[in-house]
Amino acid sequence: MSLESQKTNYPALYTLITVFFFWGFIAAGNSVFIPFCKNYFSLDQFQSQLVDFAFYTAYYIGALVLFAFGDMNGKDIVGKWGYKKSIVYGLLFSALGAGAMIIAVESNLYLGMLVGLFIVALGFSLQQTAANPFAILLGNPKTGASRVNLGGGINSFGTTIGPIVVALALFGTAKTISDEQIKHLALNKVVLLYIGVGLLFLAAAALFYFSKKVPSGIANEPMEKANKALRTLVVMTGILAIMFSPVFASYSSDEAKEIASIEKNIEPTTTKMNKLVDTLIEVKHNEKLTEPERLAKKSTLEEKIATLKLTIKPQTDKITTLKMPLEKYRMYWLSGALLVVIIVLLFSYSSAQKNAEGWGAMQYPQLILGMLAIFTYVGVEVAIGSNLGELLKMKDFGGLVSSEIAPYISMYWGSLMIGRWAGSISVFNLTGIKKTAALIVVPLLAFGVILAVNILSGKDMKPLYYYVVCVLVQIAAFFLSKDKPARTLMIFGSFGIVAMLVGLFTTGTIAIYAFLAGGLACSIMWPSIFSLSIIGLGKYTSQGSAFLIMMILGGGIIPPIQGKLSDIIGIHQSYIIAVVCFAYLTLFAVLVKRILKKQNIDVDVIETATSH
């Protein structure tokens, strides 16, 4: 039977897309878990962002280990095992991570939770390496993009409901739980959540293993050697570990200990003040009070809070004096880690131009720039969502507590679903009025699904109704993009820059909508970057794809950098990081178009057949 006449193996495909759901569910749920951990364990913003550091660094480590084994054996290890077995192994590894999470939660250990998430994501790394090519293998290669995009749509649905389910596990059905009350919550529901997740991983692994409809997917193709590239990546990993070590060590320094001592001394006053803040929140939401009664109680409480702040002002000023040099010191090392990634990749390309032997896919400029683009894209996508909870706590952004942010986190990650659903329309070969109608209806339908899912879970979505205006802007961007990856990336990159600048220079609802629109800007970028990066690589295409997967590392480095910057200049101003990221992504689209033109490659006919 020819490849063209090969029918899609739908039972195997439907089994496969379950893993796409897991990736989105856990990743987006972390955006609610981060502010929860910050309050529960009394962390700073950088420390809370270590959730992302652990999760996305695992993707990099996992992909690097797989590449190293493949390079040493001369064969793709995942292809040798078979895609089916690889996904089973990945699911079992993730189940092991869920078990580690349960033990850590029971032991009340933040570090243990980070280890658990790291193991879960190691499993995801193996699953993701196998799942994309496996989806293409399950039918006619010409329609492979549709199967991958279906997986992407399911992944995005996972990102939409993940924050809702995690919020329910953390906060229950209560509409409002203050950040002070979070410290005293029982974590039994988190244990139940990860028991459920672990069982689902095991069930999916069993489903794959015992299903006769799912082929083994063995691919014994030789792997192109790239020993110099491997050595360089291992060295880069070692240098990154060195750069992060002083940051972690600084939390045990004399200055850090003195800060902790002062905080302990003022803790009774701080606790009393936080309780008054809780009471103030209750007064604001108490519908039984008349307006004059509410204003009177509000005024009294605010006066008491102000008095308590004055009593601890000398100590808090001392903390600020000690913290600023320490925070700058940490920021220097974190910035150095970012520079290491950039310098190593540019060095690799420069060396490969002089002598291509041993560098493999890294000899191609579109791949090197694409690796930086994937690093930046995943970094900004995760950073916007992970820091959003802290931003919404600010008075100018609604003054929400951690238990109230789930609808906004769901809408942010749901914005990626809106874009990905719209981006998959081209797969159905619609033309004329049908395509025009689909480009308008599908994003609005996806927006309606996000609202419905949240409303059914008991969330108040009225503040987000008018976000539909941002969705309409995205629809216009799709019409301007014309299904051309370089053009799409330029337009959506520019959309991201504008959205972040609007968010930086405004406050309130407009700023919240602008930062949420970062999800709309990111939504369609992964397939565009991926396709532009691997085109023209020939026999190095598979290896180039592996290098790109490694650069999910950006999700582990950029969010902590923004977190540390927010500790220095404030969470609102820290979103300047997102502006810089979108600026590079826009620049990448311009540069790669020129590079591919020199290689006589028409970027306007590239098919975006890869989904994240």
Side-chain angles (χ1 to χ4, degrees):
M1 183 170 62
S2 68
L3 289 174
E4 285 71 19
S5 62
Q6 184 179 343
K7 291 182 179 180
T8 299
N9 185 338
Y10 286 107
L13 178 62
Y14 296 148
T15 305
L16 176 64
I17 59 176
T18 58
V19 299
F20 284 79
F21 175 84
F22 288 140
W23 305 338
F25 179 90
I26 299 293
N30 286 345
S31 296
V32 174
F33 199 54
I34 286 168
F36 171 83
C37 287
K38 180 178 181 180
N39 290 290
Y40 189 84
F41 294 104
S42 300
L43 310 172
D44 66 20
Q45 190 63 9
F46 166 76
Q47 289 172 306
S48 70
Q49 291 295 325
L50 292 179
V51 168
D52 282 335
F53 175 79
F55 191 78
Y56 290 98
T57 302
Y59 269 93
Y60 169 71
I61 297 296
L64 181 60
V65 169
L66 288 172
F67 173 68
F69 275 116
D71 191 72
M72 287 186 288
N73 297 324
K75 285 189 177 182
D76 176 16
I77 193 75
V78 172
K80 185 180 178 181
W81 287 342
Y83 297 133
K84 178 178 179 177
K85 276 188 180 178
S86 296
I87 290 172
V88 171
Y89 295 155
L91 285 164
L92 291 175
F93 221 86
S94 293
L96 183 66
M101 274 292 288
I102 292 165
I103 295 169
V105 171
E106 289 283 16
S107 306
N108 227 30
L109 285 174
Y110 180 56
L111 179 60
M113 292 182 190
L114 297 181
V115 171
L117 282 171
F118 182 85
I119 297 171
V120 168
L122 273 180
F124 284 1
S125 178
L126 179 53
Q127 293 165 41
Q128 185 148 333
T129 302
N132 281 315
F134 199 20
I136 294 170
L137 186 71
L138 295 176
N140 184 344
K142 289 186 177 180
T143 58
S146 64
R147 293 188 290 278
V148 177
N149 279 323
L150 174 62
I154 299 299
N155 173 274
S156 294
F157 184 65
T159 65
T160 302
I161 70 169
I164 301 169
V165 175
V166 172
L168 284 170
L170 294 173
F171 310 116
T173 55
K175 289 186 177 179
T176 303
I177 293 175
S178 73
D179 290 342
E180 180 63 25
Q181 290 171 320
I182 284 173
K183 295 179 182 179
H184 308 290
L185 286 176
L187 295 182
N188 58 313
K189 288 185 179 178
V190 180
V191 172
L192 292 174
L193 171 67
Y194 274 93
I195 287 174
V197 168
L199 290 174
L200 284 172
F201 286 146
L202 292 173
L207 188 64
F208 266 91
Y209 185 77
F210 292 109
S211 175
K212 294 179 180 179
K213 296 286 186 179
V214 180
S216 61
I218 293 173
N220 276 319
E221 294 182 6
M223 188 172 179
E224 297 298 330
K225 285 282 185 181
N227 55 304
K228 289 180 183 177
L230 175 60
R231 272 201 310 269
T232 304
L233 288 169
V234 170
V235 169
M236 183 182 82
T237 306
I239 297 173
L240 286 174
I242 292 169
M243 300 300 278
F244 271 92
S245 293
V247 180
F248 296 142
S250 71
Y251 282 92
S252 300
S253 66
D254 291 338
E255 293 86 351
K257 288 176 181 176
E258 188 176 351
I259 291 168
S261 177
I262 296 170
E263 288 175 339
K264 188 175 181 180
N265 288 334
I266 64 174
E267 188 177 357
T269 307
T270 306
T271 302
K272 187 177 180 181
M273 192 166 63
N274 288 334
K275 285 180 179 177
L276 288 172
V277 171
D278 292 346
T279 307
L280 182 61
I281 292 168
E282 289 171 7
V283 167
K284 288 179 180 178
H285 290 86
N286 192 340
E287 296 177 359
K288 293 179 181 180
L289 295 174
T290 63
E291 192 60 27
E293 287 174 332
R294 182 180 287 106
L295 288 173
K297 288 192 175 187
K298 184 171 171 285
S299 177
T300 303
L301 288 166
E302 286 175 344
E303 189 177 326
K304 287 180 179 179
I305 291 166
T307 302
L308 289 173
K309 280 184 179 178
L310 281 174
T311 61
I312 60 172
K313 190 176 186 301
Q315 292 98 321
T316 54
D317 287 346
K318 175 70 172 174
I319 289 172
T320 302
T321 304
L322 289 167
K323 259 189 177 180
M324 287 315 293
L326 194 59
E327 299 293 24
K328 288 178 181 177
Y329 168 80
R330 292 164 176 165
M331 191 66 197
Y332 291 146
W333 283 104
L334 290 171
S335 301
L338 181 61
L339 283 173
V340 165
V341 175
I342 297 170
I343 291 169
V344 166
L345 289 179
L346 294 179
F347 163 78
S348 300
Y349 173 66
S350 175
S351 299
Q353 292 307 294
K354 295 172 187 174
N355 181 7
E357 186 181 350
W359 285 103
M362 281 191 178
Q363 65 191 271
Y364 293 92
Q366 62 265 42
L367 179 74
I368 292 293
L369 291 176
M371 287 171 75
L372 281 173
I374 289 290
F375 179 91
T376 304
Y377 156 73
V378 177
V380 71
E381 174 190 276
V382 176
I384 293 172
S386 295
N387 286 287
L388 196 60
E390 188 65 18
L391 181 77
L392 293 170
K393 289 181 184 178
M394 293 181 65
K395 191 176 180 181
D396 289 340
F397 291 85
L400 304 180
V401 292
S402 298
S403 62
E404 296 175 316
I405 66 170
Y408 296 88
I409 300 296
S410 177
M411 184 58 74
Y412 172 73
W413 289 104
S415 294
L416 277 88
M417 182 179 81
I418 293 170
R420 288 170 184 171
W421 282 18
S424 65
I425 289 170
S426 59
V427 171
F428 299 101
N429 297 318
L430 299 176
T431 56
I433 191 69
K434 289 182 179 178
K435 185 173 183 179
T436 301
L439 277 173
I440 296 170
V441 172
V442 170
L444 293 175
L445 177 64
F447 177 64
V449 168
I450 299 164
L451 290 178
V453 168
N454 277 277
I455 290 169
L456 287 171
S457 70
K459 304 297 181 185
D460 179 15
M461 298 301 286
K462 289 177 184 176
L464 291 168
Y465 285 168
Y466 292 105
Y467 184 66
V468 70
V469 173
C470 297
V471 178
L472 293 173
V473 172
Q474 189 203 44
I475 290 170
F478 270 113
F479 278 107
L480 291 171
S481 299
K482 299 179 179 178
D483 289 332
K484 298 174 181 178
R487 185 185 176 102
T488 297
L489 200 52
M490 276 186 269
I491 290 171
F492 278 79
S494 301
F495 177 25
I497 294 170
V498 172
M500 295 304 104
L501 288 173
V502 170
L504 278 169
F505 289 105
T506 59
T507 56
T509 302
I510 292 174
I512 292 171
Y513 281 12
F515 287 129
L516 291 177
L520 295 172
C522 287
S523 63
I524 201 66
M525 285 185 169
W526 174 279
S528 297
I529 297 169
F530 214 103
S531 299
L532 290 167
S533 301
I534 62 172
I535 191 70
L537 267 58
K539 64 181 181 179
Y540 295 108
T541 299
S542 177
Q543 189 183 97
S545 298
F547 286 150
L548 290 171
I549 293 294
M550 286 182 204
M551 288 299 103
I552 290 176
L553 173 68
I557 291 182
I558 292 177
I561 288 177
Q562 183 178 346
K564 184 48 61 190
L565 187 61
S566 78
D567 288 332
I568 298 171
I569 65 173
I571 189 66
H572 187 193
Q573 291 74 19
S574 74
Y575 272 84
I576 189 67
I577 293 282
V579 177
V580 175
C581 289
F582 281 122
Y584 173 70
L585 292 168
T586 308
L587 177 64
F588 166 73
V590 175
L591 294 177
V592 79
K593 189 171 183 178
R594 291 177 186 171
I595 289 167
L596 294 176
K597 191 174 182 181
K598 287 180 183 178
Q599 296 176 8
N600 296 316
I601 297 171
D602 185 0
V603 297
D604 292 337
V605 298
I606 298 172
E607 183 182 12
T608 54
T610 309
S611 181
H612 170 48

